[in-house]
């Protein structure tokens, strides 16, 4: 290895080019700083190359397949059969990834961010080494933003081989459509995998992890999720403890204990939900004296600064929720602080969405959470059966639900299931952000007819004043 | 005619069962009042039976047809040809109208609203007569809500025969697909007709009415509308004055003068944009002493009360914009005031949407309007070419634009074109309602990836800080 003779100076070094990292790099450059971005693998990180983008493209295709059955009544007559060809979708995926990556690379160039492919580690609090094959370059910088993201930790008995046993990233690289996919997990990623492959024609069985009996959502949403799974003929094994997994030429067999009874489920492939495992070790952050939390994550304040002045950490290496949306905001905030602004992150209002059979989206407090936190609450709910626009779309299996504070009428939580739920939830996000009260959302004008009118009806329902509730 | 011997007493009489009227009737009943609803024709009015609902169903079908070309790259392979059968869509339309009408009728029953089919008119300020065929019944009431809506006034030379020459309602009842539809008009209804029938395979030529050269939107939206029309091969004749229309077995010929030159356009059918013409005459409101504005519309205050105590007017008979969304809100407000609450209508923030080739939606001030009103403004704009989710959907021809006040950063206007523009605009509606400032919409968390992230980028663009703007 050749260690560089001299030290290059930068104003900001960003380590990791995922969504958090590249947003940080661009924002810092926009604010006039000289920025180096070090990425070990691919610009865009897991989100762009393996996670969010591929999974949402696949979910989009799944949704289009489901919508085919509604075309006939709109007068759209198809002369022949409808076939699904996974290889075409994989080609499209490569195209989307390539275009988005090239887009990000062009933006980094536009802002004169220097991009280096290599493995970064701390030499000291001010000095970073970057290993690039045989070379090892030294950099010095006033500010460092750590955004190395995370890999996965799997349950001991379920190590993915990415041929028969997949994780959230490799499942979207599958080349042949699984005949029968076992999905071990109950988080949104697992639900998306189940929903998407079911639409493609795969038989799907969900095995709820760690003996769970419910998904982590408001009770009304939970009931709806189970109803949807049943309707889509996706089997669901609750309260299962996995004892072992056997992969063979026959497929994958999972041995389970369900309420004291031993049984096994056989599938052609297995998907395994995993815990994010932060990419910290290689960084040698102890050299820089950066404090870690007990669980190994990097401690930061709301400005995303670590215990070391000038060193920031964002995204999956921090204790915030492992979501691209969080990393993006954190990245901008860290960059703004590097540029002398005082910016902070408040993640109290985040939308959680599932690109599911029928989309699901939620923000703020569930009814149960609000009660647990000691709020006196009121709830309202409105079924899309009462929506004229849902009738037009023939998408009546959905509802919205709102949670508000008894005395003040302040809105605390928004929940939506069904067509356009992921669009609908943004009203909730903004309403929570603006500390809106019930009357703010009942006096509002939504396009007519549109699904958004459901929010008004849900809030009117709190006082039994929803117009279209039968 | 048999005039009733006695007078029936009601607490509220609603005249007209369109969206405004039935919302008013139900809200009044919800608040404990005894309500009579008089409807001359069909419950749901023009909106449900001929206008909003049919047009949005047709626009939905048009949109699905346009999306067919994107299926292949998602791996969805169609074995045969795609045909459009208008009669199937007409059947579906009848089904949707029937279901929604039955739904409203069931709601009126649920709330014990008495529904009478007949023609109402004022006998005095307190007394209403209802003509039902041979019978003429008398009613007395503390409160009357007038919601008789409007018909149309057409340009003198273009009277619809509803066979070759259509208006905004009859066009959606057409039984055979027009081969070449001339669309005379430049309002949103005309644009929707042009867009929808173009998707069905009809050749469409727009003749901009009254010599116009632009559509009534923000300049950025206007440019986009023309671009879309061109791309969809919809011809557009600007600055045309119509001199005459001839309908014959050959179709419809429109004689025009364009910049001093005379020419004619030939089509198979003609659509004519019309001015709403309020249904007031039959009511004999002068008997009740209700004041009218110079243009004949009924004068009201913000509580929707007319010059006569206890008599309210809502919807198209008032001077507010002729939109279902306005009538609905006014109906609730009038009903609430009948029940002793003090409710007012503020229509300063209304979304305007076009279910167009690519949907268009706008709320608040356009750049031009804001300047005219004397605001010092800033604008931001973001193209969907920079959106990862638009790449997934392959819907990159769109943008959002925001207008804000220079000094305060208060948001004044939101404009969106492209996929899901009609969903996106609701963020603008709520932001304006809550008097949001730029920072409220840049610190917000939108699902990633989603089109909503474009709002953040548009506002960041004001200070040249949009991340994905190349």
């Amino acid at each position: 290895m050749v260690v560089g003779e001299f030290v290059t100076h930068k104003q900001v070094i960003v380590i990791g080019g995922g969504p958090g990292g590249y947003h940080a790099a661009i924002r810092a450059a926009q604010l006039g700083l000289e920025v180096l971005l070090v990425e070990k693998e691919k610009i865009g990180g897991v989100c762009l190359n393996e996670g969010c983008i591929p999974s949402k493209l696949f979910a989009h295709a799944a949704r289009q397949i489901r919508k085919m059955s509604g075309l006939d009544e709109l007068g759209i007559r198809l002369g022949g059969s409808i076939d699904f060809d996974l290889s075409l979708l994989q080609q499209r995926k490569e195209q989307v990834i390539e275009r988005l990556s090239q887009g990000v690379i062009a933006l980094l160039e536009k802002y004169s961010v220097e991009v280096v492919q290599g493995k970064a580690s701390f030499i000291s609090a001010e000095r970073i080494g970057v290993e690039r094959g045989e070379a090892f370059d030294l950099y010095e910088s006033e500010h460092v933003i750590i955004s190395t993201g995370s890999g996965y930790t799997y349950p001991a008995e379920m190590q993915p081989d990415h041929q028969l046993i997949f994780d959230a990233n490799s499942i979207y690289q599958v080349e042949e459509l699984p005949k029968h996919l076992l999905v071990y997990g109950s988080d949104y990623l697992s639900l998306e995998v189940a929903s998407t492959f079911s639409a493609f024609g795969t038989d799907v069985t969900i095995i709820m992890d760690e003996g769970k009996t419910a998904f982590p959502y408001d009770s009304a949403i939970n009931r709806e999720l189970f109803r949807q799974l049943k309707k889509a003929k996706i089997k669901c094994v609750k309260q299962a403890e996995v004892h072992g997994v056997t992969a063979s030429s026959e497929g994958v067999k999972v041995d389970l204990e369900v309420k004291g009874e031993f049984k096994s489920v056989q599938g052609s492939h297995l998907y395994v939900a995993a815990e994010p495992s932060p990419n910290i070790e290689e960084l040698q952050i102890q050299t820089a004296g950066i404090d870690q939390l007990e669980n190994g994550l990097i401690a930061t304040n709301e400005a995303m600064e670590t215990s070391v002045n000038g060193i920031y950490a964002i995204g999956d290496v921090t204790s915030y929720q492992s979501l691209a949306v969080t990393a993006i905001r954190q990245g901008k905030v860290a960059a703004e602080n590097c540029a002398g602004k005082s910016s902070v992150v408040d993640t109290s209002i985040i939308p959680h969405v599932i690109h599911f059979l029928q989309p699901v989206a939620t923000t703020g407090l569930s009814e149960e959470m609000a009660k647990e936190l000691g709020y006196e609450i009121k709830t309202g709910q409105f079924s899309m059966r009462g929506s004229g626009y849902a009738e037009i779309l023939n998408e009546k299996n959905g509802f919205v639900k709102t949670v508000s504070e008894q005395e003040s009428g302040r809105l605390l939580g928004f929940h939506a299931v069904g067509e356009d739920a992921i669009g609908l939830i943004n009203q909730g996000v903004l309403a929570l952000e603006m500390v809106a009260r019930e009357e703010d959302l009942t006096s509002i004008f939504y396009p007519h007819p549109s699904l958004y009118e459901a929010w008004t009806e849900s809030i009117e329902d709190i006082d039994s004043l929803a117009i279209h509730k039968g």
Side-chain angles (χ1 to χ4, degrees), chain A residues 35-270:
Chain A
V35 183
L36 171 74
L37 174 63
V38 186
E39 166 59 47
K40 201 169 75 170
E41 293 175 11
K42 290 180 186 164
I43 288 292
V46 168
C47 173
L48 195 162
N49 295 285
E50 299 162 321
C52 329
I53 298 296
S55 67
K56 271 47 190 184
L57 176 67
F58 273 54
H60 172 54
R63 194 125 194 80
Q64 298 318 108
I65 292 173
R66 288 213 178 80
K67 284 188 175 294
M68 300 302 289
S69 63
L71 294 177
D72 200 59
E73 66 176 15
L74 295 172
I76 306 168
R77 288 200 134 151
L78 306 180
S81 62
I82 303 168
D83 291 311
F84 176 66
D85 181 342
L86 180 61
S87 68
L88 282 180
L89 181 59
Q90 287 292 13
Q91 279 171 35
R92 169 73 181 141
K93 186 194 79 178
E94 294 306 324
Q95 185 188 48
V96 168
I97 292 173
E98 178 64 13
R99 285 193 191 158
L100 293 180
S101 305
Q102 289 308 321
V104 174
I105 289 166
L107 289 166
L108 291 166
E109 267 172 29
K110 173 187 168 186
Y111 287 106
S112 307
V113 172
E114 190 187 340
V115 179
V116 165
Q117 184 157 29
K119 204 186 287 182
S121 57
F122 284 91
I123 310 292
S124 70
E126 298 78 27
R127 206 165 264 206
I128 302 273
V130 177
E131 192 188 323
R132 299 187 294 120
E134 289 301 291
F136 190 87
D137 298 328
L138 288 178
Y139 292 90
E140 233 173 30
S141 180
E142 288 96 310
H143 305 100
V144 180
I145 300 174
I146 304 169
S147 58
T148 43
S150 62
Y152 289 122
T153 317
Y154 310 98
E157 63 280 22
M158 289 186 247
Q159 293 300 315
D161 59 10
H162 309 300
Q163 298 294 324
L164 290 174
I165 305 178
F166 298 95
D167 64 17
N169 302 336
S170 60
I171 188 73
Y172 295 108
Q173 290 165 25
V174 67
E175 280 171 18
E176 270 194 53
L177 201 58
K179 202 170 145 45
H180 182 184
L181 181 64
L182 308 177
V183 173
Y184 177 74
S186 60
D187 59 354
Y188 80 99
L189 293 171
S190 306
L191 286 167
E192 289 186 352
V193 167
S195 163
T196 293
F197 282 89
S198 163
F200 294 167
T202 297
D203 273 338
V204 175
T205 301
I206 294 178
I207 303 164
M208 295 187 77
D209 53 319
E210 295 167 9
K212 290 199 185 90
T213 57
F215 301 106
Y217 300 99
D218 184 281
S219 53
I221 301 245
N222 247 295
R223 275 193 301 277
E224 178 62 18
L225 288 173
F226 283 115
R227 202 193 61 74
Q228 285 189 31
L229 288 171
K230 193 171 172 188
K231 202 176 157 200
K233 299 194 170 63
I234 297 176
K235 289 173 283 296
C236 194
V237 185
K238 297 180 197 177
Q239 283 182 276
E241 298 285 349
V242 172
H243 285 272
V245 170
T246 326
S248 70
S249 57
E250 321 261 284
V252 184
K253 184 165 74 75
V254 179
D255 295 316
L256 301 168
E257 185 182 341
V258 180
K259 295 187 230 172
E261 212 176 295
F262 292 87
K263 54 174 167 177
S264 63
V265 208
Q266 175 78 39
S268 63
H269 299 76
L270 171 66

Side-chain angles (χ1 to χ4, degrees), chain A residues 362-377:
Chain A
T362 170
T363 191
L365 301 179
S366 69
E367 182 174 347
E368 293 71 27
M369 278 157 64
K371 283 180 184 161
E372 258 177 53
L373 291 170
Y375 284 101
E376 291 277 317
I377 57 157

Side-chain angles (χ1 to χ4, degrees), chain A residues 263-419:
Chain A
K263 54 174 167 177
S264 63
V265 208
Q266 175 78 39
S268 63
H269 299 76
L270 171 66
Y271 163 87
V272 181
E275 286 294 311
S277 159
N279 300 323
I280 295 181
E281 206 167 319
E282 280 180 1
L283 286 169
Q284 298 174 43
I285 59 172
Q286 55 289 349
T287 319
I290 299 167
D291 285 353
Q292 284 173 273
L293 301 167
E294 267 182 42
N295 54 16
L297 293 164
I298 300 177
T300 68
N301 59 18
E302 287 185 327
M304 305 319 299
E305 198 165 21
T306 67
S307 59
V308 179
N309 209 350
I311 301 183
Y312 298 82
I314 63 171
D316 290 2
V317 297
T318 70
S319 61
Y320 288 76
Q321 275 186 294
S322 171
L323 287 169
V325 62
T326 316
I328 289 170
R329 178 89 191 113
Q330 290 174 325
K332 292 182 193 171
V333 162
E336 284 159 12
N337 288 317
C338 293
K341 295 181 180 286
S342 41
S343 220
V344 295
V345 170
D346 174 359
T347 56
S348 52
I349 306 156
I350 288 190
H352 293 273
V353 308
I354 320 175
H355 289 256
F356 199 50
L357 300 158
Q358 298 268 330
V360 173
T362 170
T363 191
L365 301 179
S366 69
E367 182 174 347
E368 293 71 27
M369 278 157 64
K371 283 180 184 161
E372 258 177 53
L373 291 170
Y375 284 101
E376 291 277 317
I377 57 157
K378 303 177 275 183
T379 65
Q381 195 164 325
F382 184 71
S383 162
M384 288 300 179
R385 301 207 163 273
S387 158
Y389 202 61
E391 176 65 55
I392 285 175
L393 302 179
N394 207 352
E395 292 279 3
K396 293 181 285 186
N397 288 319
F399 67 86
V400 299
K401 176 176 175 176
T402 48
V403 180
S404 50
E405 198 177 23
Q406 183 71 47
E407 206 171 300
S408 66
R410 189 185 136 203
L411 290 155
L412 300 173
F414 290 80
H415 310 276
V417 180
E419 182 69 12

